[in-house]
Structure formats: C-alpha cells, structure tokens
Amino acid sequence: MKEEQLKRLETVFSKVDRDEELTRDEAIELLKIDNHSDVFYRLLAKANELTQKEYGNRGYVFAQIGLNSAPCPGNCKFCSMGCENFMVEEETEKSMEEVVSEAKKALSQKIDALFLMTTADYDLDKFLEISAKVKEVIPADVMLVANIGDFELETAKRLKETGFTGVYHIVRLNEGIDTALDPVKRIHTLDAVREVGMELIYCVEPIGPEHTYEQIVDEMLRAREYHVNIMACMKRVGVKGTPLYDKGEITDLELTKIAAVTRLVARPKKSMNVHEPKQMTLLAGVNQLYAEIGINPRDCAVETRNNRGFSVAEVKDMLHQMGYRTK
C-alpha cells in the first residue's frame, strides 16, 4: 500500500513540476495522507521546494489593523464579535487619528501590506474617509487592503479610487450555516473585486475538525479559479463562549499539511500564508505571515497584540529563522 501511495504521489508531483493543475480528487488524496507517515514529509518537502523555486527566499510581512469591536450582523458562530455571542471585553472604535498613527508605526517596521478590517456593518463613508488618510502615508511599494463586509461593483470602484490595491474576501467554510451571510453575495463580492482589477487575497478558513477534505479542497479550487496571487489557510481558533467552541480545533500538524496541499493546488504567484503564525508551517511552503493590531475575531481582547496577536518583529523573526529575507 505504501509503495502504491508513493507512486501515485510522484505522479501528482510530476504534474506540479510540469505546471499542470491538480484535480479535485488528487487534492483530496493529498489531504488524506497520514500525518505521521514518511509520505507526509515528502508532501511538505514538495511544497517547500515549489516555494523556493518560485519565490526564492523572499518572505512577506502583512499587518492588519482592526478598526472596531462591536456586535456584528454577520453573526459568525466562531467569532468573538458575533451579534448573538459578543465576547469581546468592550465595544470600541478607533478614531481616524489612532488608525493613521497605528499605520505609521507598522510602516516604520517595513511591512509589505497593510490591511484595514471592520465589522460587516461598519459605515462605508467613514471607512473610506479614514482609508484615504491612511493612503496618504503608505509608500508605493506597500499594498493597502480592505477587509470589510460584502459589497457591489460600485463600492469596489470606490475602494479602488480611494487607493486600495487589494481586498481580502472569502467564502468561508459552512458559509450561510455557521454565519448569517449569503454565500451568493460573498461570490458577487469576489466578482466585483476581480472586475475592477484589484488584488484578491483569499484564504481557506476557518478550518475545524468537522470540515471535510472535500469542503476544504473546493475553496482551494475557488482561489485557483480567481487566479489568486496571495493565498492562505487558517485554522479555527476556539473562542470560549462562542457556539463552535466545543467542536475543538485542528492540530498544528494538520494545518501544516493543509498549507502544503493548498500551496500545490492553488499555486499562488506571490505568497503563501498560514494563520495564526506557526513556525512548523514554514516547512510547508509558507513564506508570509500576519502581524495584528486592534481587535481580531479570534480574541476577546480589544488589543490583540497584547494577547493572541503577533508583532511585526515576531513574525519577521519567524521568517528569518527559516532563511527568508524580508524588507
């Protein structure tokens, strides 16, 4: 059986070497690899080989500022800010001056992209006004990325006019079941981002033990369909008190395997990320990590950098330990 599996694996890897797309069935088979087998490490090595070949030793650091903590109508069952399970210590909202100040601090540490994140119902005009001020201090070589609720083509145009070069947007696993959001609207937003020519940053998330490999692969394939250059996968972090807390979390070992398969299937042209930062995953083709400021959906602290979040210096050190060069 092991010899047969290795033979099939080499056939799949030869397709990767020829820049041929892997099929859904091939991707699922890769995810079924035993995490404690020799084949598991062969998979990681192939993903890492691909990253070294296509990205060299370039590592990327992205920073995200959470602008507000408030009960969100998206009502995600895994999120600390769901309107029916708001678990954050208090409701907060950063002022324009605070956001610009935080942006300047992050930029002074030489990052590659700055993300501005809000709850799904945050006022768009206010967001664009703050974002325009942030754009004034952003160097030309740093991406400005929006992480907000669903929107139509007109809003995509306004985001681009404001100076955003990218948008983080996804169809989550069990979207519409574990969230109060419409998967169709999520897809319409992806289409709007693509239509105006902004960079789409995608992620397979939030991965829990109950999600099937078929579900996970389908989101890898969606990213490939949209020709995503910046890709990620993220494990669900259990926030005590939220409805999905008792379902538990996948292991870091499982996340590392998923990262490797995502790297081979989605074939992002610029970078591969995993979240939250895990040193182990850097053996699986990951070359980009996030630092976080303000709130994040996996934390109850209004300043996640004082709790779960990683600093720019910390993620840079993780990348440097693996031989990656950052700014």
Side-chain angles (χ1 to χ4, degrees):
M1 175 63 77
K2 183 177 177 181
E3 290 182 2
E4 291 178 6
Q5 188 179 34
L6 282 170
K7 186 176 181 179
R8 290 198 304 271
L9 191 67
E10 291 305 327
T11 299
V12 171
F13 287 169
S14 67
K15 289 184 66 175
V16 173
D17 291 337
R18 296 192 301 270
D19 290 329
E20 296 178 13
E21 293 184 346
L22 301 186
T23 67
R24 184 174 187 268
D25 287 344
E26 288 168 338
I28 292 168
E29 184 173 6
L30 290 178
L31 285 176
K32 289 180 178 178
I33 288 173
D34 182 350
N35 294 350
H36 300 282
S37 66
D38 294 345
V39 182
F40 173 83
Y41 296 102
R42 181 74 183 91
L43 170 65
L44 267 56
K46 191 62 181 180
N48 190 54
E49 174 190 322
L50 187 63
T51 283
Q52 292 300 320
K53 174 185 173 183
E54 296 184 350
Y55 306 153
N57 68 339
R58 181 67 163 93
Y60 293 89
V61 176
F62 293 175
Q64 177 166 270
I65 303 174
L67 272 61
N68 69 314
S69 63
C72 177
N75 202 33
C76 300
K77 294 179 181 179
F78 45 80
C79 178
S80 62
M81 291 182 284
C83 60
E84 294 181 6
N85 43 267
F86 186 73
M87 306 300 299
V88 182
E89 54 193 4
E90 62 178 311
E91 293 185 35
T92 62
E93 184 174 332
K94 292 184 181 296
S95 67
M96 179 185 294
E97 292 75 21
E98 288 174 319
V99 176
V100 173
S101 176
E102 295 285 12
K104 287 180 178 178
K105 289 177 186 176
L107 291 164
S108 70
Q109 299 176 77
K110 305 295 184 183
I111 59 175
D112 298 287
L114 180 66
F115 288 54
L116 301 181
M117 180 185 70
T118 70
T119 52
D121 59 346
Y122 192 88
D123 183 78
L124 178 63
D125 290 333
K126 183 192 298 184
F127 179 72
L128 293 176
E129 182 182 6
I130 292 173
S131 302
K133 287 295 181 182
V134 172
K135 181 64 178 178
E136 291 177 3
V137 302
I138 297 265
D141 65 341
V142 175
M143 293 179 63
L144 181 61
V145 182
N147 183 357
I148 60 176
D150 288 304
F151 52 81
E152 300 294 337
L153 182 59
E154 186 57 39
T155 296
K157 292 177 180 177
R158 292 182 67 189
L159 289 168
K160 188 172 184 180
E161 290 168 0
T162 301
F164 281 99
T165 47
V167 172
Y168 177 86
H169 212 77
I170 59 170
V171 179
R172 301 178 186 88
L173 298 172
N174 284 351
E175 192 82 86
I177 299 172
D178 292 338
T179 75
L181 301 168
D182 183 354
V184 173
K185 289 185 178 179
R186 304 295 291 178
I187 293 170
H188 286 167
T189 302
L190 301 179
D191 292 339
V193 173
R194 176 167 61 180
E195 187 165 341
V196 299
M198 285 190 291
E199 188 89 57
L200 175 64
I201 293 90
Y202 206 78
C203 182
V204 182
E205 62 119 318
I207 306 168
E210 74 278 17
H211 296 126
T212 67
Y213 286 150
E214 287 79 7
Q215 286 178 288
I216 292 168
V217 167
D218 284 344
E219 292 312 313
M220 296 179 193
L221 296 177
R222 193 191 306 277
R224 191 169 76 188
E225 175 190 341
Y226 281 88
H227 304 290
V228 168
N229 294 319
I230 300 171
M231 185 61 187
C233 57
M234 182 175 76
K235 66 181 284 185
R236 184 180 67 232
V237 172
V239 178
K240 193 171 184 178
T242 57
L244 294 184
Y245 175 75
D246 290 339
K247 288 189 178 292
E249 301 179 10
I250 64 171
T251 65
D252 291 352
L253 200 64
E254 179 73 358
L255 179 64
T256 300
K257 178 175 70 178
I258 294 171
V261 177
T262 303
R263 178 72 184 90
L264 298 182
V265 173
R267 295 299 293 265
K269 301 303 181 186
K270 183 175 182 179
S271 67
M272 179 68 207
N273 164 261
V274 74
H275 205 66
E276 295 172 339
K278 301 288 183 182
Q279 192 80 50
M280 183 190 305
T281 63
L282 297 179
L283 292 170
V286 169
N287 72 322
Q288 182 254 306
L289 298 172
Y290 279 91
E292 293 183 282
I293 303 157
I295 187 65
N296 86 40
R298 303 168 312 284
D299 203 349
C300 295
V302 294
E303 284 297 341
T304 192
R305 60 185 160 193
N306 299 328
N307 196 32
R308 293 201 65 88
F310 285 69
S311 69
V312 172
E314 287 172 329
V315 296
K316 278 193 173 184
D317 182 63
M318 291 177 71
L319 289 165
H320 294 163
Q321 289 298 327
M322 292 299 295
Y324 286 110
R325 171 184 57 82
T326 60
K327 280 186 176 179

